[in-house]
Amino acid sequence: QSDFEVLLDSNDKKTNNSNDKIEIQVSALAGKIVLTQATASTTGNNNLSVNVANLSSGSYILKATGSSRSQTSITKFVKE
């Protein structure tokens, strides 16, 4: 699998507004950031695709944060 999807809900009053940017960081379990990506959010659900094809096999942590820091999503995943 080369894409990893993240779903963020911007309808919640505490979360991103339509002008927010979303920063995505993928880190190895040792803490080293191996991929960063930024995108604009929209009002409502934000289904973001992150291409992980160039990552080596292993376990990673994906962190998606709105620029207002009002919502952060952290997910652990395994690249095979």
Side-chain angles (χ1 to χ4, degrees), residues 1 3-7 24-31 34 50 52 55 57-64 72-80:
Q1 181 178 359
D3 288 332
F4 189 84
E5 293 187 350
V6 180
L7 178 65
I24 297 171
Q25 289 184 337
V26 176
S27 303
L29 290 183
V34 295
V50 180
V52 295
L55 297 181
S57 296
S59 296
Y60 295 91
I61 297 172
L62 183 143
K63 180 179 178 182
T72 300
S73 174
I74 299 174
T75 305
K76 183 178 174 183
F77 71 96
V78 176
K79 166 90 175 12
E80 296 181 347

Side-chain angles (χ1 to χ4, degrees), residues 2-74:
S2 61
D3 288 332
F4 189 84
E5 293 187 350
V6 180
L7 178 65
L8 296 175
D9 181 2
S10 295
N11 287 323
D12 186 331
K13 292 178 181 161
K14 298 183 297 184
T15 62
N16 304 332
N17 62 41
S18 61
N19 297 323
D20 207 0
K21 297 217 182 308
I22 298 171
E23 179 181 324
I24 297 171
Q25 289 184 337
V26 176
S27 303
L29 290 183
K32 180 180 178 184
I33 297 172
V34 295
L35 184 147
T36 59
Q37 177 178 318
T39 188
S41 69
T42 59
T43 301
N45 290 336
N46 288 270
N47 194 358
L48 310 172
S49 182
V50 180
N51 187 334
V52 295
N54 293 329
L55 297 181
S56 301
S57 296
S59 296
Y60 295 91
I61 297 172
L62 183 143
K63 180 179 178 182
T65 306
S67 62
S68 65
R69 305 288 187 230
S70 60
Q71 182 183 25
T72 300
S73 174
I74 299 174

